[in-house]
Amino acid sequence: MASANRINQLSSHLSSNPHAAAMSSGDSAFTHVTQAPPDPILHLSHLHSEDTFEKRINVGVGAYRDENGKPWVLPVVRKAEKQLIQDPKFDHEYLPIDGLKPFYEASVRLILGKDSAAVKEKRYVGIQTISGSGAVRLGGAFLNRFRKAKIYVSNPTWGNHHDIFKDAELEVHTYPYWDPKTRGLALEDMLKSLKDAPNGSIIVLHPCAHNPTGVDPTPEQWRQIAAVLKEKSHFPFFDCAYQGFATGDLDRDASAVRYFVEQGFELLVCQSYSKNLGLYGERAGCLTVVLKSASVVPQVRSQLVRLQRAAISSPPAFGARVASLILNDETMFREWTEQLKIMSGRIQTMRKLLHDALIELKTPGTWNHITDQIGMFCYTGLSVKQVGVMKEKYHVYLTDNGRISVAGLNQSNVRTFAEALDWVVRNVN
Ligand code: LMR
């Protein structure tokens, strides 16, 4: 009865409201708008949360989960939050357009290293962004305006790279990265494609924990990549969303970026604190531009500030304040590095358990890549069809490209996951 009343009220509202009447007669200004596809990654979390099957498994989104499958607020983040909120000076004022200075300055040191020549010679610009995605978008907009060129992303890459760069009006191309035969890096093809790209192209690189493949170049392979980029005057654009997640060591995971800086490149590097500090929803990130000369710093900074003001006005404060406390306090920083090791260590344990379960089940195929790959993701090699069956028959949510977020596995569900994978590999081509 109550719902019948609501429907009556709604119809009388529609008949007295001219905009609503236009809606019902179908002559909206937006009738030409076609349905956009759901996001291939974030939509999985929605499907998983709607699923009522008790043993459903979400290995879709790249977000850390603890042993109980729950989000983990790092103890050091809790500590910093408390300190922040108890500070009588804490308020909700706007940050400057380029963000919180102690935060972005510490972020630059975190990725480049405090002893970096670029840092010592002050030939960089750091600016706070809406996490890694915001940094990628701002970097894309900056390059579009001041160093326009074709942009090359790895095939495959994080799907959003394509949309972000297209929306930044850059012409997006790909270079080979994944070799399905070896389930490793397609180095020769990658180098050839980079050599074939027009001189001065922009090359997007994942410095560690490549998303989605979990395959990173070795130091020697990075040297070869850098040599080609130099020979071709390409511009490196690093997207670093997983510093500390690949090896558990913040410095080691930054070594590719640092190597390129040592080689004298001008480059862009994007950082995210979503994964390594678990600040997903707080959107804390940084874009750093490394320059050849400190003399261009003021101009570059001013243009980034202008682009940021027009896009978002100023970045969000809370996450950056939390991160800043941790980055700038010796004790909290040490606690963070220990907690990072807990996360990366648990992921490595899950890789091993999954690998061992598949070996025990005698699942057809080779599974070494599960433990060889690094970071949050494992690129299983499952086909779209097999992924579909994983979803429908086993309530296991992974992306269509066969990527799993290993952090979604734990002691209680890894066996179930392995059995589902085993069945699909044996029964679905
Ligand atoms: C992922 O790749 O799963 C994460 O980076 C989350 C996202 O925004 O796509």
Side-chain angles (χ1 to χ4, degrees):
M1 190 59 196
S3 75
N5 277 345
R6 261 206 308 278
I7 290 166
N8 286 341
Q9 276 165 13
L10 183 65
S11 12
S12 81
H13 168 74
L14 284 176
S15 54
S16 62
N17 177 340
H19 298 293
M23 250 169 63
S24 61
S25 68
D27 61 353
S28 158
F30 303 106
T31 48
H32 62 289
V33 176
T34 55
Q35 184 73 33
D39 185 83
I41 298 175
L42 300 185
H43 185 58
L44 292 172
S45 301
H46 171 69
L47 294 178
H48 176 263
S49 66
E50 300 267 287
D51 190 336
T52 51
F53 183 66
E54 202 196 328
K55 290 192 167 172
R56 65 193 186 278
I57 299 176
N58 187 3
V59 281
V61 67
Y64 183 77
R65 297 291 174 254
D66 68 10
E67 186 44 43
N68 302 312
K70 298 276 182 276
W72 193 47
V73 181
L74 273 61
V76 70
V77 167
R78 282 276 187 246
K79 185 171 167 181
E81 282 170 353
K82 224 185 238 165
Q83 188 171 315
L84 186 61
I85 289 167
Q86 284 168 358
D87 182 348
K89 291 203 292 293
F90 176 71
D91 60 30
H92 296 285
E93 290 300 290
Y94 291 127
L95 287 183
I97 302 169
D98 55 357
L100 187 69
K101 192 166 180 189
F103 166 76
Y104 64 71
E105 288 294 341
S107 298
V108 173
R109 289 193 299 274
L110 186 76
I111 188 73
L112 301 185
K114 61 180 181 347
D115 297 325
S116 167
V119 172
K120 287 191 170 149
E121 293 156 18
K122 297 196 184 334
R123 44 183 183 83
Y124 66 87
V125 176
I127 176 165
Q128 185 189 328
T129 55
I130 300 197
S131 201
S133 311
V136 173
R137 184 66 165 86
L138 183 64
F142 179 74
L143 292 176
N144 177 47
R145 189 160 293 180
F146 298 105
R147 197 199 172 284
K148 200 168 172 83
K150 291 184 178 168
I151 188 162
Y152 286 74
V153 296
S154 60
N155 180 20
T157 190
W158 180 50
N160 208 15
H161 277 153
H162 288 273
D163 288 341
I164 293 179
F165 291 127
K166 270 186 216 147
D167 283 2
E169 293 176 8
L170 289 164
E171 192 183 309
V172 187
H173 296 263
T174 59
Y175 59 83
Y177 192 84
W178 166 255
D179 181 348
K181 286 199 283 306
T182 61
R183 296 192 176 160
L185 182 67
L187 183 71
E188 293 312 316
D189 290 347
M190 173 181 178
L191 294 177
K192 181 175 178 326
S193 167
L194 297 179
K195 281 184 189 157
D196 290 346
N199 284 359
S201 297
I202 304 161
I203 313 296
V204 178
L205 299 161
H206 306 211
C208 65
H210 182 269
N211 182 1
T213 66
V215 172
D216 286 347
T218 62
E220 172 49 31
Q221 290 169 335
W222 277 120
R223 274 192 280 282
Q224 295 181 47
I225 295 165
V228 173
L229 263 67
K230 196 170 253 184
E231 181 191 317
K232 296 283 301 182
S233 308
H234 290 332
F235 189 93
F237 187 139
F238 283 100
D239 184 5
C240 188
Y242 294 91
Q243 189 180 358
F245 249 89
T247 62
D249 179 331
L250 289 158
D251 291 320
R252 246 176 95 186
D253 288 354
S255 56
V257 176
R258 294 179 189 177
Y259 177 72
F260 275 67
V261 173
E262 279 162 24
Q263 294 304 302
F265 283 93
E266 291 200 309
L267 54 84
L268 255 55
V269 51
C270 306
Q271 284 164 277
S272 161
Y273 290 97
S274 297
K275 331 282 173 171
N276 56 14
L277 269 176
L279 288 173
Y280 302 93
E282 301 305 334
R283 316 310 290 136
C286 182
L287 172 69
T288 300
V289 187
V290 175
L291 297 156
K292 284 198 173 147
S293 157
S295 67
V296 288
V297 163
Q299 298 91 304
V300 170
R301 169 168 292 287
S302 71
Q303 292 293 350
L304 284 168
V305 164
R306 190 184 173 285
L307 284 165
Q308 174 120 301
R309 171 73 167 148
I312 64 158
S313 210
S314 62
F318 189 77
R321 286 183 173 142
V322 169
S324 184
L325 284 176
I326 297 166
L327 291 168
N328 290 299
D329 179 282
E330 223 176 279
T331 309
M332 281 201 266
F333 189 89
R334 205 181 42 250
E335 287 168 11
W336 177 35
T337 59
E338 282 153 16
Q339 290 160 24
L340 258 176
K341 288 199 178 78
I342 295 176
M343 293 193 283
S344 60
R346 201 188 80 71
I347 291 174
Q348 275 156 20
T349 306
M350 286 306 126
R351 285 183 183 278
K352 177 147 178 26
L353 289 184
L354 174 58
H355 170 266
D356 293 355
L358 293 173
I359 299 301
E360 200 193 311
L361 290 164
K362 298 192 172 37
T363 308
T366 57
W367 300 102
N368 289 349
H369 59 286
I370 294 178
T371 42
D372 292 347
Q373 293 170 1
I374 200 163
M376 191 88 117
F377 302 113
C378 168
Y379 212 48
T380 57
L382 291 186
S383 67
V384 178
K385 202 164 155 202
Q386 289 170 326
V387 169
V389 177
M390 290 285 276
K391 255 185 243 158
E392 277 144 38
K393 187 170 162 64
Y394 290 102
H395 305 255
V396 173
Y397 294 90
L398 66 159
T399 49
D400 282 349
N401 58 10
R403 182 194 88 168
I404 62 167
S405 172
V406 185
L409 297 177
N410 52 53
Q411 303 272 355
S412 330
N413 68 12
V414 64
R415 180 77 192 187
T416 314
F417 178 85
E419 285 168 4
L421 197 143
D422 179 75
W423 192 90
V424 160
V425 168
R426 288 179 197 277
N427 296 291
V428 185
N429 289 317

